[in-house]
Amino acid sequence: QVQLVESGGGLVQAGGSLRLSCAASGRTFSTHTGGWFRQAPGKEREFVAAIWWVGGMTYYTDSVKGRFTVSRDNAKNTVFLQMNSLKPEDTAVYYCAAMVRNGAPELDNNYDYWGQGTQVTVSS
């Protein structure tokens, strides 16, 4: 089992920045990819970004490219999502997830473990 705990959400004005953290514990050596998803009210959960634990390959959805950066600290079993130039449309609950196998990172069904989510609200 892998446990994931997100932190770092909050309220920020448009154009501001937030850094989300996802601390993993348990059988962390068994995971291949760490991902971030978000779900806005009334919308489906969508992929945001992902990173390989080994090698550091990164993936982003088009709407956040150039604004968000996903990174990891293997020693601390933590994945980060640095969010800059935030927009009101970035408002959502952000979830981190862990994938055991090497699968398509943008598909939420490929992920085996999920955190509880952290709220990000961007005011205009």
Side-chain angles (χ1 to χ4, degrees):
Q1 291 289 328
V2 175
Q3 295 78 42
L4 304 174
V5 178
E6 303 100 332
S7 61
L11 173 64
V12 64
Q13 289 187 333
S17 299
L18 283 174
R19 189 192 196 203
L20 304 183
S21 299
C22 175
S25 61
R27 296 175 60 86
T28 56
F29 59 86
S30 67
T31 58
H32 180 279
T33 301
W36 288 97
F37 289 76
R38 64 187 180 187
Q39 187 167 21
K43 295 187 177 181
E44 293 186 354
R45 185 166 58 190
E46 66 171 350
F47 169 74
V48 177
I51 187 168
W52 287 5
W53 279 105
V54 178
M57 181 74 74
T58 58
Y59 304 85
Y60 298 93
T61 192
D62 286 346
S63 64
V64 307
K65 285 180 180 178
R67 300 189 299 122
F68 291 11
T69 302
V70 61
S71 61
R72 89 280 192 221
D73 184 332
N74 291 54
K76 296 182 179 180
N77 293 322
T78 301
V79 175
F80 304 97
L81 185 66
Q82 178 67 44
M83 305 185 295
N84 299 329
S85 302
L86 282 161
K87 305 175 181 179
E89 51 264 44
D90 294 318
T91 295
V93 177
Y94 283 71
Y95 299 89
C96 72
M99 185 194 309
V100 172
R101 301 160 302 280
N102 180 11
E106 71 276 14
L107 300 179
D108 57 0
N109 287 344
N110 283 341
Y111 288 82
D112 304 279
Y113 304 101
W114 292 83
Q116 82 287 353
T118 185
Q119 177 70 46
V120 171
T121 303
V122 184
S123 63
S124 57

